[in-house]
Amino acid sequence: MLSFTKTAISATLLLSLTACATFTTNENDKAPYFEASFDDKNRAPASLTPPVISSQDGQATLDPLYMRTQADYYFSMGEAYSLEGNAAKAIESFKMTLIYDQNSPTVNMRLAGEYLKQGMISESLTQAEEAVKKDGKNVDAHLLLGGLYSSMKLYPKAMDQYHTVLKLDPKNTEAPLYIGALYSEQKQSDKAVSYFESLVKNPDYTSPYLAQYYIGRVRMEQPEAKFQKAAEAAFKKALVLKPDFADAVLSLGALYSKQKNEAKAITLYRNFQKENSPSPKIAEVLSQTFIEQGKYDLAYEQLEVLEQNTDEPLNVKMKMALILIEQKKYPLATEKLEAVLKEAPESDKVRFYLAAVYEETHQNEKAVREFKKIPASSTFFGEATVHSAYLLKGMNRLDEAVEVISKGLAERSDQPQVYAMYASLLDEKNDYKAAAKVLEQGLEKFPENAQLRFYYGTINDRLGKKDVVITEMKKVLELDPNHVQGLNYLAFTWAELNQNLPDAEKLARRAMELEPQDGYVLDTLGWILYKQSKFTEAVKFLEAAHKFQGTVSVIAEHLGDAYYKQSMVDKAKKMYRKAADLESDKNKVKEIRNKITAIEKQELSTPRLPASVEAPLAEHTSK
């Protein structure tokens, strides 16, 4: 569907921008002036009163020159206000013009235009109708009125106005364009095309490329193959007539995309950008396409074009910054975001991303500073508060982190991630009861938040409440059957309690399907197999766990246990030593070293046979 309403109205208005206010043809252009019927004690000095001319019948009238001067003055003021974009004052001035020149259709047309800017369609229509009434041969007035009727979908009335234009001016090239548009709006495609084609054939029409473009737009909406081909041909003709016509390129590209030939559309757009002055409209389409395809360098090139030719440069710069972040070009991203923030210091979105880049580049003080500036009213507040607290904890400022998160919770209690972070900090301080209380408050507000419930289960594990742990983890899996942490934690808890080992194995295997490279998940599955005396299979999964989490003491210890059960004594001792080196708990270190000592004592009490003796014995045993 084509919409020519704004074009019709704006084109008509432009014709009258520089017109004179006074178009009255009445030779006796005079307005009567009557004295007040009461005595005004504060009358203006006689020197300031309008000049009065007495007629022969004794009735006083104002000087026509004065009237014309006033009309021109207010008309000029109206034009000045209009150029400034002050439609309200322009309307006032044009109304004043009509007081002194009541017969000027041009003033009514200017009023119609200003009312239209204000979105006051009915007032605009009234003025346009008045202009036509005053001067029925005014082509511009009929075009304006036709455009207004069209915008109100009063198509028969609009059509009448355009046909009137053609009667008044058979060579007019605007009316056929608008008539074609009206037929297009009413899905009368062939009639619409016939009018556009008449313009192509009209030697007086200076923009035949537009007519071809409109033919293409009409045919493009018709699904039949012959019309799709006609649309393509029309767009190509438009581009032959005007090679730098970006709208035709966009429509032709859209046609190719509609035909599932996205590559052809992109090639068309890129060639246009190379061969002509790059079009911001095409740059916008290309940049979005390349972003969706993950071709960030190409997208960035188009955004650079758009940055120089857009009314919203900050949005474009923000997209550019996000691309730089995606490409891990953090210094450039920082530079771009800092520039945007200077222009839009109130933007919490820009500030959040800048803080996130500071965090990524280990500029933690700067990151915390920016995160703290994000107001509680922002949608980014919860995440900003969590990140700020997390960074402070990492900087060994745990008390300050607790202060930040508690303040954040006081300002916004509707952010579940804040409850979770608060509890984790209290957990860090070994204040498990307080952590549990915070999570209980969070679950009152968000009873179906699986992650909060998971944390609540882990805190109860710290408190030794295994029954609560199991209950909460089951609830987690009811809310989210694919919650990997919940699957793993429940499986490991059952393994540690030596309960429900077949069910625990099922949970662990499900977790492994979801996260096949998670060392903790692999360790859980290996440990459950160990508990079921499936030592050979246990070794396989525990070795994989150690590969992915080589610095975790408990995983190394479990692998050592599995090696020992498989009589791989040297490997077992090696893993126990590594586990002891990685462990920070002194009691646990002592426990692991006791395992090494036990193995060594056993080795001393059972001397190994020479290899020449062991081999035949092994062969004999295998038989």
Side-chain angles (χ1 to χ4, degrees):
M1 186 182 295
L2 297 176
S3 177
F4 288 79
T5 305
K6 289 184 179 178
T7 306
I9 295 171
S10 61
T12 305
L13 289 175
L14 283 171
L15 291 173
S16 57
L17 267 176
T18 57
C20 177
T22 308
F23 275 75
T24 308
T25 57
N26 186 356
E27 294 180 359
N28 299 314
D29 182 9
K30 299 177 181 180
Y33 176 81
F34 299 97
E35 290 289 344
S37 59
F38 59 90
D39 185 13
D40 186 350
K41 302 300 183 182
N42 292 302
R43 299 183 62 167
S47 62
L48 298 181
T49 59
V52 176
I53 300 175
S54 296
S55 64
Q56 290 182 353
D57 59 5
Q59 187 177 11
T61 61
L62 289 175
D63 180 7
L65 179 60
Y66 169 79
M67 297 282 284
R68 189 158 284 124
T69 302
Q70 289 295 95
D72 288 343
Y73 167 75
Y74 283 115
F75 187 83
S76 298
M77 291 299 295
E79 286 203 314
Y81 284 131
S82 179
L83 289 170
E84 290 174 4
N86 192 336
K89 286 197 174 184
I91 288 169
E92 274 186 32
S93 296
F94 288 133
K95 280 185 174 181
M96 288 298 298
T97 308
L98 283 176
I99 291 174
Y100 293 97
D101 186 359
Q102 298 175 4
N103 298 320
S104 172
T106 301
V107 180
N108 293 110
M109 289 171 66
R110 295 308 307 273
L111 267 172
E114 296 304 320
Y115 278 129
L116 191 63
K117 289 178 186 177
Q118 296 282 75
M120 303 165 73
I121 303 296
S122 59
E123 288 84 351
S124 180
L125 182 64
T126 299
Q127 294 299 325
E129 288 175 336
E130 187 66 24
V132 169
K133 190 186 298 182
K134 288 178 180 178
D135 185 0
K137 294 183 179 181
N138 190 316
V139 168
D140 292 337
H142 285 291
L143 287 171
L144 174 60
L145 185 55
L148 288 166
Y149 283 143
S150 179
S151 71
M152 300 172 74
K153 300 191 182 300
L154 300 171
Y155 299 133
K157 285 190 172 185
M159 199 74 81
D160 286 344
Q161 294 302 314
Y162 295 138
H163 281 300
T164 300
V165 169
L166 288 177
K167 288 177 183 177
L168 293 169
D169 179 11
K171 292 185 178 181
N172 186 281
T173 55
E174 289 182 83
L177 194 67
Y178 301 144
I179 292 171
L182 287 177
Y183 280 129
S184 176
E185 291 278 340
Q186 298 172 83
K187 302 298 182 184
Q188 298 183 52
S189 303
D190 290 341
K191 286 185 178 181
V193 169
S194 69
Y195 272 90
F196 296 140
E197 286 177 340
S198 73
L199 285 171
V200 172
K201 297 171 186 176
N202 187 341
D204 295 327
Y205 186 51
T206 58
S207 305
Y209 68 91
L210 277 177
Q212 291 288 3
Y213 168 71
Y214 295 139
I215 291 170
R217 289 290 302 274
V218 172
R219 292 308 188 197
M220 185 177 172
E221 292 179 8
Q222 297 176 274
E224 293 89 343
K226 65 178 182 179
F227 293 126
Q228 296 292 295
K229 288 182 179 178
E232 182 179 5
F235 290 137
K236 286 181 175 179
K237 287 177 184 176
L239 287 168
V240 169
L241 293 167
K242 188 174 175 57
D244 63 345
F245 188 24
D247 285 343
V249 173
L250 284 168
S251 294
L252 183 56
L255 179 65
Y256 290 147
S257 296
K258 185 179 175 183
Q259 295 170 350
K260 309 297 183 186
N261 200 339
E262 192 69 30
K264 194 172 182 180
I266 292 172
T267 300
L268 175 72
Y269 296 147
R270 294 191 71 184
N271 287 341
F272 181 89
Q273 296 294 73
K274 290 176 183 176
E275 295 166 7
N276 302 276
S277 295
S279 163
K281 292 180 181 178
I282 294 176
E284 187 171 5
V285 173
L286 270 179
S287 64
Q288 189 58 40
T289 301
F290 286 139
I291 288 171
E292 290 169 2
Q293 294 179 348
K295 297 177 179 178
Y296 297 120
D297 286 334
L298 295 176
Y300 199 88
E301 286 178 9
Q302 297 303 318
L303 288 171
E304 286 180 317
V305 172
L306 200 55
E307 184 182 16
Q308 303 301 320
N309 301 276
T310 180
D311 294 331
E312 298 181 340
L314 294 183
N315 288 340
V316 176
K317 288 178 181 177
M318 190 63 194
K319 280 188 178 181
M320 295 169 77
L322 292 176
I323 286 176
L324 292 170
I325 292 171
E326 186 69 27
Q327 294 178 312
K328 301 188 185 307
K329 296 178 180 178
Y330 298 123
L332 290 174
T334 301
E335 185 179 327
K336 185 69 72 174
L337 288 168
E338 286 175 342
V340 174
L341 196 59
K342 281 183 181 179
E343 294 182 57
E346 73 289 347
S347 175
D348 50 295
K349 179 180 179 179
V350 176
R351 194 177 297 281
F352 179 84
Y353 280 107
L354 178 58
V357 173
Y358 284 147
E359 179 179 357
E360 192 67 34
T361 53
H362 308 293
Q363 300 179 68
N364 294 340
E365 290 287 358
K366 285 185 176 181
V368 170
R369 182 190 67 205
E370 297 303 330
F371 280 133
K372 282 184 174 181
K373 288 180 182 178
I374 293 175
S377 58
S378 170
T379 55
F380 294 95
F381 178 76
E383 285 298 321
T385 302
V386 167
H387 278 268
S388 183
Y390 174 79
L391 288 171
L392 288 167
K393 183 188 82 168
M395 295 158 69
N396 296 318
R397 289 152 63 179
L398 187 56
D399 290 337
E400 190 178 345
V402 170
E403 182 183 343
V404 166
I405 208 75
S406 62
K407 182 183 175 184
L409 189 59
E411 292 184 3
R412 288 283 295 271
S413 60
D414 62 338
Q415 304 285 304
Q417 67 269 40
V418 177
Y419 289 96
M421 176 54 75
Y422 196 1
S424 75
L425 293 176
L426 292 170
D427 181 12
E428 193 80 16
K429 292 171 72 73
N430 298 324
D431 194 347
Y432 306 132
K433 288 184 179 179
K437 186 176 180 181
V438 167
L439 290 167
E440 285 166 4
Q441 292 170 354
L443 286 170
E444 284 180 15
K445 283 186 173 290
F446 308 101
E448 296 190 358
N449 187 293
Q451 198 62 21
L452 278 182
R453 199 162 289 283
F454 171 78
Y455 289 140
Y456 184 57
T458 63
I459 289 297
N460 276 281
D461 197 8
R462 305 278 200 280
L463 294 168
K465 299 178 180 179
K466 295 290 185 181
D467 55 335
V468 177
V469 175
I470 292 169
T471 300
E472 291 303 317
M473 293 305 164
K474 285 182 177 179
K475 288 180 181 178
V476 168
L477 298 179
E478 286 175 11
L479 293 167
D480 181 4
N482 292 329
H483 195 288
V484 175
Q485 292 172 303
L487 288 165
N488 188 57
Y489 211 99
L490 180 55
F492 190 79
T493 301
W494 274 336
E496 288 293 276
L497 295 172
N498 216 26
Q499 298 176 359
N500 302 325
L501 293 179
D503 289 337
E505 183 180 340
K506 289 178 184 177
L507 293 178
R509 288 189 182 278
R510 174 62 184 148
M512 188 191 70
E513 288 174 8
L514 296 168
E515 292 290 348
Q517 295 185 356
D518 188 316
Y520 291 102
V521 170
L522 292 165
D523 172 68
T524 296
L525 178 55
W527 192 236
I528 291 168
L529 293 168
Y530 177 92
K531 289 275 187 173
Q532 296 178 90
S533 300
K534 301 175 182 179
F535 302 122
T536 302
E537 197 175 1
V539 167
K540 179 175 67 175
F541 286 104
L542 289 170
E543 282 186 338
H546 183 65
K547 175 186 174 184
F548 289 114
Q549 294 289 348
T551 60
V552 178
S553 173
V554 68
I555 294 176
E557 184 184 2
H558 286 167
L559 180 54
D561 290 343
Y563 281 148
Y564 182 73
K565 287 292 185 180
Q566 285 292 89
S567 300
M568 300 177 183
V569 179
D570 289 338
K571 284 192 171 186
K573 287 195 292 183
K574 183 179 178 181
M575 276 299 124
Y576 287 144
R577 291 190 187 102
K578 187 168 186 180
D581 291 339
L582 292 169
E583 183 58 60
S584 57
D585 186 315
K586 291 181 180 180
N587 291 329
K588 185 64 180 173
V589 171
K590 185 177 180 181
E591 181 184 323
I592 295 169
R593 293 203 181 280
N594 285 340
K595 291 184 179 183
I596 298 171
T597 302
I599 291 174
E600 289 174 344
K601 285 182 178 179
Q602 188 177 7
E603 286 177 327
L604 288 172
S605 62
T606 311
R608 292 180 62 184
L609 294 171
S612 59
V613 177
E614 284 185 348
L617 179 62
E619 289 174 9
H620 177 76
T621 304
S622 65
K623 292 178 182 178

